[in-house]
Structures are given as C-alpha cells and as structure tokens.
Amino acid sequence: MSRGVAAGRLPRGLWLAVPVFALLAGCSDSRREADGEMRMAQAPAPAPFVSAAREGSAAKLAYRHDLTVGLAPERVAPHFAAARDRCLNESATCTLLNSSIRDGSGTRPPQAQVQVRLPHAAVAPYVAFVTAPLPGEAAGDVALIEQATRAEDLTASIADTGRRLAQLNDYRARLTALAEKPDNRAEDLIKIAGELAQVQSQIEEAEGTRRTLDQRVDTEIVTVNFRASQARAGAFAPVQEVWTRAGPILGESAATALRFTVASLPWLPIVLFAALLLRLVWRIRRKRAHPARVPLEP
C-alpha cells in the first residue's frame, strides 16, 4: 500500500479508542451534573423569611418577594394546589394574581408557580405555609432553595400624583365658580362645560393612578416557584432521581437516535457516491504508481 493511503487511515487501536473516549466524556458530564445536584441538595437553606415592610415608614415602598421551593417530582402538584387553594379560601385578604403548573414530560421536571397579593400582616404566615411540609411529609421533603425581596420606591410618584390631583381639583372649583356667574353668555357656558368635562376626566384618571399606587404600598406580591429538585439528602439521592426518570430518559435517547437516523437518510446517496469516487481515484493512483510490466520477447 502506498504511503498516501496509509496516511489516510487511522490505526486500529485508535479506532477502538474513539468509543471509549466518548463513553468517558459522557460519564464525566453525568458525574458533573450529579455532583451539581448533590451540592444544591446539601446546600444550607436560606434564612427564615422576614417581611421587610414597616408600618409608619416615611418611604412609600412596594415590596415583591420571590421564593423557590424544591420538592420531589411527585409532590409539586399537591403543594401547588395547597398554595392556590389557601389564597382562594382567604379571598378577603388574598388576591390570586397568577397560577400555572407544567407537568413533567420527557426529561423536563414538573414545575409550578403561584403569585398572590397580600397585606403586610398576612405575608409571613402565607410564606410559612407554602414552605412547610404537608401532612404525611417529613421536614426534609421541602427545601427553600432561594428567596429574594425587591422594593420599589413610590414616594415621588405618590407625591406627584397628589400634587396633580390638588391642582386639578382647584381648577375644577374655579371653573365651577365661573360657571355660576349670572352674566355668562351661552357660548361661555358651553366652553366652561367642555373644560369641566376634560378636567373631571383627568381627575378620575389621577385618582385611579393614586389608588393603584396606594394598593402597591399597602400590599405585597409574593411569587412562589415550585420545582423538582434533590429535596432529599443522601449519597444515593441522584441514583434514585435517575431511576425514577429511567423511562423518560430511555424514550428521549431512543427518539434522539431515531431522529439522527431519519435525518441521515437523505445523505446516504451522496456518501455512497463520494465513497465510490474516492475508491476510483485511489485505484487510478495505484495503477499509476505500479504500472503493469510488459513481458520481454525472447
């Protein structure tokens, strides 16, 4: 075989090493993923929730709280229903703003979210309820993975709205006094009535803005995200998680293999033609490198 042909082929040992390297890379990725989940499971929980709102504060702050609760995959739906129903049952003090749940399919874990609006005094009890285990669960089955509190200062907006309302009310009072004069002409009364209608519309709009701002200051929004995670501790927790998802993982892998096979079918004629062309070129080069010997006549 010529030197060019030998350079175009890989040694037999290297061909055998390629699948081994691929398997080692896959195992390394799986091990890193499992280590990351274990670190998340064994990480210390955040500090207990304490509402930051203070009664009588000079600043007008609107608070939003975001919590992430880790649960076993089969416990996401019960906790979602409990958090939603508690708000619906206490509709006098709780307003349900949003509730959604996504069932786990394939390799995606289940996930749910509940968003409520509560007065200051009801925030801490509600958070304590949604982060506590349900009847029949152990204390370690529910993990508060993350919590965050954000505050928006609405002091300037409320002050500006109050000043605008005062100016509009004063303008309306002057227009009303002007309309009550006995010497007004019909044209003047029509103009004053039109101006009063515009001012009244602006006053109602400003009052609606002020009510919205006051509501945001007097209440707090709590968003609770329920997601499947390694809530249970232990060395074999990742093994249990993979075992419970063995069916979806196998189905996803089979779908990936089938997708690759179907996507490769249109390329088969091109690959076969290229292989035949390369073989033809290789044979021509080989004949040129080793020309046939012509027998000499005696």
Side-chain angles (χ1 to χ4, degrees):
M1 183 180 294
S2 64
R3 184 177 302 173
V5 176
R9 292 188 175 181
L10 291 174
R12 182 176 300 176
L14 189 57
W15 280 108
L16 294 175
V18 171
V20 176
F21 290 151
L23 289 175
L24 290 177
C27 293
S28 177
D29 294 339
S30 300
R31 189 178 297 108
R32 284 196 297 268
E33 182 180 357
D35 292 342
E37 292 181 353
M38 281 300 299
R39 283 194 296 270
M40 183 182 67
Q42 297 177 355
F49 177 84
V50 177
S51 178
R54 295 292 182 270
E55 296 292 341
S57 176
K60 304 297 183 180
L61 303 178
Y63 287 95
R64 301 178 66 97
H65 309 283
D66 296 298
L67 300 97
T68 302
V69 180
L71 301 163
E74 66 276 6
R75 303 307 301 167
V76 171
H79 278 264
F80 163 77
R84 179 197 58 195
D85 294 344
R86 179 182 175 91
C87 183
L88 294 176
N89 294 333
E90 299 178 0
S91 57
T93 58
C94 180
T95 303
L96 182 64
L97 301 178
N98 178 39
S99 63
S100 61
I101 185 170
R102 185 191 69 188
D103 191 12
S105 60
T107 58
R108 296 188 307 174
Q111 188 175 354
Q113 183 184 89
V114 175
Q115 187 178 71
V116 299
R117 184 188 297 275
L118 296 163
H120 301 308
V123 173
Y126 183 82
V127 172
F129 173 79
V130 297
T131 56
L134 296 177
E137 295 179 345
D141 291 339
V142 182
L144 180 58
I145 299 176
E146 184 180 0
Q147 61 179 7
T149 298
R150 292 172 294 171
E152 182 180 358
D153 193 351
L154 301 178
T155 306
S157 299
I158 292 177
D160 292 342
T161 304
R163 284 193 295 268
R164 177 170 174 77
L165 267 175
Q167 293 172 358
L168 290 172
N169 286 325
D170 181 67
Y171 186 40
R172 182 179 62 180
R174 287 189 283 121
L175 286 174
T176 303
L178 186 62
E180 293 175 353
K181 289 185 177 181
D183 56 347
N184 288 327
R185 295 178 300 176
E187 294 83 357
D188 296 335
L189 291 176
I190 292 174
K191 291 180 180 180
I192 294 174
E195 192 68 18
L196 276 173
Q198 293 183 3
V199 172
Q200 183 63 33
S201 176
Q202 294 175 3
I203 289 175
E204 293 176 357
E205 181 180 357
E207 287 178 345
T209 302
R210 186 181 63 179
R211 285 194 297 270
T212 301
L213 293 174
D214 290 341
Q215 183 188 45
R216 294 180 60 187
V217 172
D218 295 338
T219 59
E220 304 178 36
I221 295 178
V222 179
T223 304
V224 185
N225 296 289
F226 300 102
R227 73 178 187 184
S229 67
Q230 295 292 340
R232 296 184 297 271
F236 293 97
V239 178
Q240 294 177 358
E241 179 69 17
V242 174
W243 180 255
T244 56
R245 297 170 52 197
I249 292 175
L250 180 60
E252 187 69 20
S253 299
T256 302
L258 181 60
R259 187 181 299 110
F260 175 78
T261 302
V262 174
S264 302
L265 289 177
W267 294 92
L268 286 180
I270 300 176
V271 173
L272 292 176
F273 177 76
L276 292 175
L277 184 61
L278 290 176
R279 181 176 177 85
L280 179 60
V281 172
W282 176 73
R283 294 183 66 179
I284 293 174
R285 292 187 59 183
R286 185 178 181 183
K287 287 181 179 180
R288 290 180 178 179
H290 302 281
R293 295 181 180 180
V294 179
L296 299 177
E297 295 181 355

